[in-house]
Amino acid sequence: MRKPNLSNTKQAKPLVPAKDLATLEAELAEQENSLEVNLEDTVLRLSDYLSAVEMVIKQTFNHRVWVKAEIRNLSSKGGHYYFELAEKDDDGKVVASCRGNLWRFKAARVLAKFERATGMPLERDLTVLLKVSAGFHAQYGFSLTIEDIDPSYTLGDLARQYAEMVDRLTGEGLLHLNQQLPTPFDIEHVLVIAPEKAAGLGDFQADADRLASTKACQFHYHHATFQGNHAPAEIRQAIVSAQQQFYDTYQRLPDLLVIIRGGGAVGDLAYLNDYELAALVAEQPIPVWVGIGHERDKVILDEVAHTSFDTPSKVIAAISSHLAQLVMQTLQYQAQIKHAAKQQLNTAQQQASWQLSQIQSQTIGQLTALQKDSDYAWQNIRQSAQRQVKQAARRANELRTQTQTSAYKHLALAATYSQNHQQSVLQSAQQQVIQAKRDSEYLRDIVLLHRPSRILKQGYTMLTDAKDKQILTSSMQLYPEQTIHIVLKDGKATAQVVDINTDNKMTESTDTLTES
């Protein structure tokens, strides 16, 4: 809202009550003593007693006084306005409170004068200077009747609060903190905080959409209420959630944060004068551009923002201008690079031509000398090769003769050795065949002696499991209540294991079996 100029504000005249507090206390004490003597033994009805209180208040406080108070609540009905007034100490604790009434026949004039002077409606949480008279009703109790409201005091109080806020931000090093951040070189992503469906947002978005269609910049919109007591908290929440959402998506911070609001009543801007909101904006790690719809009026966000504009349209115009300037600089750099590259290419081409001529002249002389050296070396190599070929041919003939002689000798020895080894192998094979035949006949006799049918005929039995899939040969394969088969020479019996006795010294296990 607008910072009031206190030098031009109408100064309130010093107000002196009709009677000072000491005089009132003395008069009340005298009347109390008189009443106490007269009514000591009198029994009164409640209505009579409260009527007497009303009479005392009317007689004692029959004059109007100016009272400073804070509006804790305000409501209206039938053109009448009903106040809840309070006084707080330095710790914010309520030390006094009462009701106040502004009747219909005075309300229109008083409120219109207040709004014309302050540019804002009368509402709760404002500190006001009221011209009141005391009243007491037997049924409704004590209240103040409001006769007038001094708007100059409210303007001064708002200006004082604004100045205190600026001083606090300055003392904490926040007032110019965001302004120390450099303007981003390239504006690629912009977070926009604005009231939903606001006219100022529509003007901003119309130009922003045209800019976004060129893919030069992307705008991310988040909405919050900019009017009402809950507006600062909603704006703070929108800023925090927008930053977090952007970081989760892009894993980095945006290039710019824009807070915009279209034009409106001067009093509506007062909601933006919030310390917590101003501190949050000041502490942002990215530049904050503010475009509040006003020209002369100033809010605390204009003080702490990196850059402040009068309207949302000027914000998007500044973004477009920044990007256009960036493009112009880029084109200038491109032209400079092309010019410098062309000059370097021309210089390199001239140097290359000169170096090429030098290399060619040097190369021709070197090639002539190399040709001579090559011809001489070739003659030497050919002569040397011819000599080596002749020597190799003679050496090959000698080695071939020696190899043939040695091969004939080895073949004769190998033939003799082969015949002797063949006789030895035949004799050994015959002996092994005879011995294998004897061993085979012996094994056949043993197998025939131990075949199952012969052993069963001799009185032995064979144990198998219940499914005849496994032959049981050890007590380790048995367990109590196991069903087994006893195979005999002419049949088999089914039995169940009752007990198992294991004797490591015996080669057979004696089990007590019962036929099933």
Side-chain angles (χ1 to χ4, degrees):
M1 62 173 280
R2 178 180 54 191
K3 284 181 67 176
N5 187 351
L6 296 181
S7 61
N8 296 328
T9 303
K10 180 181 178 181
Q11 299 296 326
K13 296 180 180 180
L15 302 173
V16 179
K19 297 180 181 180
D20 58 19
L21 186 58
T23 304
L24 291 175
E25 289 179 349
E27 291 180 356
L28 288 175
E30 183 179 353
Q31 293 179 7
E32 182 179 357
N33 293 333
S34 176
L35 288 174
E36 183 178 358
V37 173
N38 296 329
L39 301 176
E40 185 175 8
D41 298 325
T42 303
V43 177
L44 299 175
R45 292 181 303 174
L46 178 61
S47 59
D48 293 336
Y49 182 74
L50 294 180
S51 296
V53 173
E54 180 181 3
M55 179 183 64
V56 172
I57 291 178
K58 284 183 178 180
Q59 292 177 354
T60 307
F61 298 95
N62 59 354
H63 50 274
R64 298 176 178 85
V65 296
W66 289 94
V67 174
K68 180 181 71 173
E70 178 182 324
I71 302 175
R72 297 190 63 191
N73 200 1
L74 178 62
S75 61
S76 65
K77 183 178 181 181
H80 304 297
Y81 286 81
Y82 303 95
F83 294 72
E84 287 185 17
L85 304 173
E87 177 186 351
K88 297 179 181 178
D89 59 13
D90 295 337
D91 297 329
K93 181 180 178 181
V94 176
V95 295
S97 64
C98 72
R99 294 182 296 108
N101 305 310
L102 178 58
W103 304 120
R104 180 175 54 194
F105 61 90
K106 290 186 178 180
R109 177 183 58 81
V110 172
L111 296 181
K113 182 182 70 171
F114 183 87
E115 291 183 10
R116 284 196 305 270
T118 62
M120 61 185 297
L122 188 68
E123 57 190 10
R124 58 182 299 177
D125 296 329
L126 286 179
T127 301
V128 292
L129 186 63
L130 307 170
K131 189 175 185 179
V132 300
S133 60
F136 183 85
H137 192 276
Q139 184 177 355
Y140 301 109
F142 181 82
S143 64
L144 297 178
T145 300
I146 300 174
E147 305 290 341
D148 197 4
I149 302 176
D150 186 359
S152 60
Y153 178 85
T154 302
L155 284 174
D157 185 68
L158 293 175
R160 177 187 56 79
Q161 294 179 12
Y162 190 96
E164 289 178 354
M165 198 179 306
V166 172
D167 291 341
R168 181 178 177 184
L169 291 169
T170 303
E172 295 176 356
L174 298 178
L175 190 65
H176 303 294
L177 181 62
N178 195 259
Q179 299 169 9
Q180 297 174 6
L181 297 176
T183 301
F185 174 75
D186 183 19
I187 302 177
E188 183 181 0
H189 292 279
V190 179
L191 288 183
V192 181
I193 309 296
E196 188 174 8
K197 299 180 180 179
L201 176 61
D203 297 338
F204 179 94
Q205 199 165 5
D207 293 335
D209 290 343
R210 287 192 290 270
L211 188 60
S213 64
T214 64
K215 297 183 179 181
C217 186
Q218 297 184 38
F219 296 87
H220 309 269
Y221 296 93
H222 298 266
H223 303 295
T225 300
F226 275 57
Q227 185 173 342
N229 294 326
H230 55 286
E234 285 197 21
I235 297 173
R236 294 199 306 271
Q237 179 61 35
I239 292 174
V240 174
S241 60
Q243 293 261 33
Q244 185 61 48
Q245 182 178 342
F246 184 89
Y247 188 83
D248 293 341
T249 303
Y250 296 94
Q251 302 302 312
R252 72 176 185 90
L253 293 175
D255 302 299
L256 198 64
L257 173 62
V258 170
I259 302 175
I260 57 176
R261 178 192 184 278
V266 177
D268 296 342
L269 301 178
Y271 298 109
L272 303 181
N273 287 329
D274 180 78
Y275 169 78
E276 298 295 337
L277 176 59
L280 178 63
V281 170
E283 292 175 341
Q284 289 302 301
I286 59 175
V288 180
W289 287 9
V290 172
I292 306 298
H294 57 82
E295 294 181 357
R296 293 176 301 172
D297 303 312
K298 202 171 195 180
V299 296
I300 196 66
L301 296 185
D302 295 314
E303 304 278 1
V304 299
H306 180 275
T307 308
S308 174
F309 300 90
D310 294 339
T311 62
S313 299
K314 290 185 179 180
V315 178
I316 188 62
I319 294 175
S320 301
S321 175
H322 179 85
L323 293 176
Q325 184 179 2
L326 179 63
V327 172
M328 291 297 297
Q329 289 179 352
T330 303
L331 293 176
Q332 291 177 0
Y333 294 151
Q334 183 180 7
Q336 293 175 2
I337 292 172
K338 286 183 178 179
H339 180 70
K342 187 176 181 180
Q343 288 182 341
Q344 291 180 358
L345 285 174
N346 292 333
T347 303
Q349 186 175 4
Q350 294 174 359
Q351 292 179 352
S353 300
W354 180 80
Q355 292 176 355
L356 179 61
S357 61
Q358 293 292 325
I359 292 172
Q360 286 177 345
S361 61
Q362 294 176 1
T363 302
I364 292 173
Q366 292 177 355
L367 287 175
T368 302
L370 289 173
Q371 185 66 39
K372 294 180 180 179
D373 294 341
S374 176
D375 293 341
Y376 177 76
W378 172 248
Q379 293 295 331
N380 292 335
I381 292 171
R382 185 171 60 181
Q383 294 175 1
S384 176
Q386 290 175 352
R387 290 194 300 269
Q388 292 178 1
V389 167
K390 291 179 180 179
Q391 292 177 359
R394 289 194 299 269
R395 180 62 178 165
N397 290 330
E398 293 176 356
L399 291 175
R400 183 181 62 186
T401 302
Q402 294 177 1
T403 301
Q404 287 178 350
T405 303
S406 177
Y408 290 147
K409 292 181 180 179
H410 284 85
L411 286 174
L413 292 174
T416 302
Y417 176 77
S418 177
Q419 291 176 356
N420 295 335
H421 184 68
Q422 183 178 8
Q423 293 296 329
S424 175
V425 169
L426 288 175
Q427 292 177 0
S428 176
Q430 290 174 356
Q431 292 177 357
Q432 290 179 0
V433 169
I434 294 172
Q435 183 64 36
K437 183 177 180 181
R438 293 174 182 172
D439 294 341
S440 177
E441 291 175 351
Y442 174 74
L443 293 173
R444 182 194 61 189
D445 294 339
I446 291 175
V447 169
L448 291 175
L449 289 174
H450 291 84
R451 68 182 182 274
S453 59
R454 184 174 180 277
I455 293 174
L456 293 176
K457 288 179 181 181
Q458 293 177 357
Y460 293 101
T461 62
M462 182 172 60
L463 301 181
T464 64
D465 59 4
K467 296 182 180 180
D468 293 333
K469 292 185 178 181
Q470 183 180 12
I471 298 175
L472 306 176
T473 61
S474 173
S475 62
M476 301 299 294
Q477 296 176 278
L478 300 177
Y479 54 86
E481 299 183 0
Q482 178 184 10
T483 300
I484 62 174
H485 289 162
I486 303 174
V487 181
L488 305 172
K489 70 177 182 177
D490 54 356
K492 65 179 180 179
T494 302
Q496 187 176 36
V497 177
V498 176
D499 190 16
I500 301 172
N501 295 324
T502 303
D503 189 354
N504 294 331
K505 296 181 180 180
M506 299 175 60
T507 60
E508 297 181 356
S509 300
T510 303
D511 302 331
T512 304
L513 306 175
T514 58
E515 293 186 3
S516 57

